[in-house]
Amino acid sequence: MKQVNPSRGVAILGSTGSIGTQALDVIREQRELLHVEVLTANRNATLLIQQALEFRPNAVVIVDSTKLGEVKDALFSHGIKAYGGAKALEQVVEMEGVSIVLTALVGAAGLRPTLSAIRAKKNIALANKETLVVAGALVMKEALAAGIDVHPVDSEHSAIYQCLAGEVLNPIEKVILTASGGPFRGKTRDELMLVTKAQALKHPNWDMGPKITIDSASMMNKGLEVIEAKWLFNVRMDQIEVVVHPQSIVHSCVQFEDGSIKAQLGLPDMKLPIQYALGYPKRLKNNFQRFSFFDHPELTFEKPDLDAFRNLQLAFDAGDKGGNAPAILNAANEVAVERFLKDELRFTEMTKVLEHALGQVDWEKQPSLEGLIASDEEARVKASEFTP
Ligand code: NDP
């Protein structure tokens, strides 16, 4: 009789990043239940090789093909296959031993490999929110047709997912996404004109990759999360509320039709939502630091300032408009953040780039995948060319 391996095979797309390395910390502590089948990186060959030698995956991918020789040389004698290029991401997720794919790469680059994994009937642990922002309707439709689960990794969406456990028969009245407010909470639009890159890269509560850190400072991250929530939980935009909660302890809430609100709380540590997504539906025992109310006697809540943090309003508007609007917004934002990190734009000029792209790319109500990718490409061009 064929032996069934009780351990779940995980493919980590973006294993060298902030979420990827924390996922490996989780797997290191849960070796009987989880093992690594695939690891991937964009350019960081050194860390990818080091991770592969420790976790012994079946295969690795380095997107930057110029580094493939170095990776192959280091891993060949250990029986670990190595591939190069973005297309390889779409192929490795289909491998037989993979049962769940953690999408921890940045930006719209996550879309094609995620679709490929869904079509191969692999469950998804979704950190890459941009995938749902760009093509939420298509991705969730394909996931439903394939009969697979999309387990959110974003702490807010994981919180909502956890609140919904056991509530299948109870419709959601509202989801409440909490936001830390980032390093510039309380600043006016004029004050935001003067903030620096170094200040924007210092998040008060979370240690994350550079793109999401800038998105958090501009509250674009919350905007992307609002659109992500719409697709994950099948709610309308007017059922989503953002509440600023600077302590990042209440990770998010669901309000049901009887008015009751369920919330999930914990210390700000991504390892818990990562572990919940990889171990779902089990809650795996761990040694993570525990939260105590006595250490956090003051939990506060505020309204977001949509005038100062215009990106959040733009995301609500794009989510409401639907079609290709969120894809345009997301692509322009990826370019704007890159330009801000290269000192080509000031902080508030990123918003002007988004408004420019949204005004320039034609709106489509029901775009196909190809249509969305074309809108993404066009928005990138508009956002790169524009001088605010
Ligand atoms: P990082 O920048 O820390 O890591 C990104 C990872 O993806 C790296 O492994 C990087 O490889 C790889 N990568 C980057 N660009 C590409 C590309 N074009 N194609 C293939 N691989 C690529 O990002 P984070 O871990 O912070 O974020 C990952 C995703 O998770 C994002 O969508 C983010 O919004 C989301 N997320 C992150 C959270 C966090 O706490 N960090 C919280 C919630 C969601 P290399 O190292 O070689 O560059």
Side-chain angles (χ1 to χ4, degrees), residues 4-11 23 26-37 55 97-100 274-286:
V4 179
N5 184 354
S7 165
R8 212 168 257 185
V10 185
V26 166
I27 294 173
R28 196 180 283 114
E29 299 303 318
Q30 302 287 348
R31 283 187 192 265
E32 291 190 356
L33 302 164
L34 302 168
H35 69 274
V36 177
E37 281 285 330
F55 288 92
V98 173
S99 74
I100 185 160
I274 292 169
Q275 182 185 283
Y276 189 73
L278 295 180
Y280 185 90
K282 275 199 184 144
R283 289 190 179 274
L284 309 178
K285 195 171 161 63
N286 61 39

Side-chain angles (χ1 to χ4, degrees), residues 132-337:
L132 287 190
V133 174
V134 175
L138 284 173
V139 170
M140 294 312 285
K141 194 170 150 200
E142 292 229 13
L144 191 68
I148 59 100
D149 291 324
V150 179
H151 306 300
V153 169
D154 235 326
S155 58
E156 295 78 357
H157 304 76
S158 174
I160 293 166
Y161 201 52
Q162 293 179 55
C163 292
L164 289 173
E167 302 280 4
V168 262
L169 297 178
N170 295 320
I172 297 171
E173 186 167 277
K174 184 159 89 177
V175 298
I176 301 164
L177 286 178
T178 53
S180 71
F184 304 138
R185 182 175 61 90
K187 286 203 187 298
T188 62
R189 205 200 280 214
D190 285 349
E191 287 167 339
L192 286 176
M193 283 170 81
L194 302 172
V195 300
T196 65
K197 181 169 83 177
Q199 289 170 321
L201 281 169
K202 265 210 179 92
H203 195 280
N205 303 348
W206 299 95
D207 183 12
M208 308 178 285
K211 198 256 176 185
I212 184 174
T213 305
I214 300 302
D215 283 345
S216 298
S218 68
M219 291 201 79
M220 187 68 212
N221 181 50
K222 207 49 54 186
L224 299 177
E225 287 178 8
V226 164
I227 301 171
E228 183 186 10
K230 163 180 159 163
W231 296 116
L232 276 172
F233 307 115
N234 194 21
V235 288
R236 298 181 314 272
M237 295 298 283
D238 63 8
Q239 289 175 286
I240 305 173
E241 184 172 86
V242 172
V243 172
V244 175
H245 165 49
Q247 298 81 17
S248 296
I249 296 296
V250 177
H251 294 308
S252 278
C253 324
V254 180
Q255 182 172 310
F256 295 95
E257 289 188 323
D258 60 355
S260 179
I261 294 179
K262 267 168 103 174
Q264 187 260 339
L265 280 71
L267 293 169
D269 180 351
M270 284 307 296
K271 288 206 288 296
L272 184 64
I274 292 169
Q275 182 185 283
Y276 189 73
L278 295 180
Y280 185 90
K282 275 199 184 144
R283 289 190 179 274
L284 309 178
K285 195 171 161 63
N286 61 39
N287 295 320
F288 303 161
Q289 198 189 336
R290 272 25 182 181
F291 167 77
S292 160
F293 279 99
F294 305 117
D295 296 335
H296 300 268
E298 198 166 278
L299 300 180
T300 59
F301 303 92
E302 305 160 12
K303 260 194 168 171
D305 180 349
L306 295 177
D307 182 50
F309 295 92
R310 242 195 92 59
N311 287 9
L312 179 54
Q313 183 64 56
L314 289 180
F316 267 108
D317 296 344
D320 236 356
K321 194 166 179 188
N324 61 348
I328 299 167
L329 180 75
N330 178 69
N333 181 58
E334 287 189 32
V335 172
V337 171

Side-chain angles (χ1 to χ4, degrees), residues 12-22 40-45 47-48 51 62-63 86 89 103-110 113 126-131 153-156 206-213 215 221 224-225 228 270 274 334:
I12 306 180
L13 306 183
S15 63
T16 50
S18 161
I19 293 288
T21 50
Q22 293 181 83
T40 82
N42 194 27
R43 291 199 190 93
N44 192 345
L47 183 55
L48 181 67
Q51 293 177 335
I62 182 97
V63 173
L89 295 177
T103 64
L105 33 67
V106 191
L126 186 100
N128 179 257
K129 62 193 81 184
E130 294 91 343
T131 288
V153 169
D154 235 326
S155 58
E156 295 78 357
W206 299 95
D207 183 12
M208 308 178 285
K211 198 256 176 185
I212 184 174
T213 305
D215 283 345
N221 181 50
L224 299 177
E225 287 178 8
E228 183 186 10
M270 284 307 296
I274 292 169
E334 287 189 32

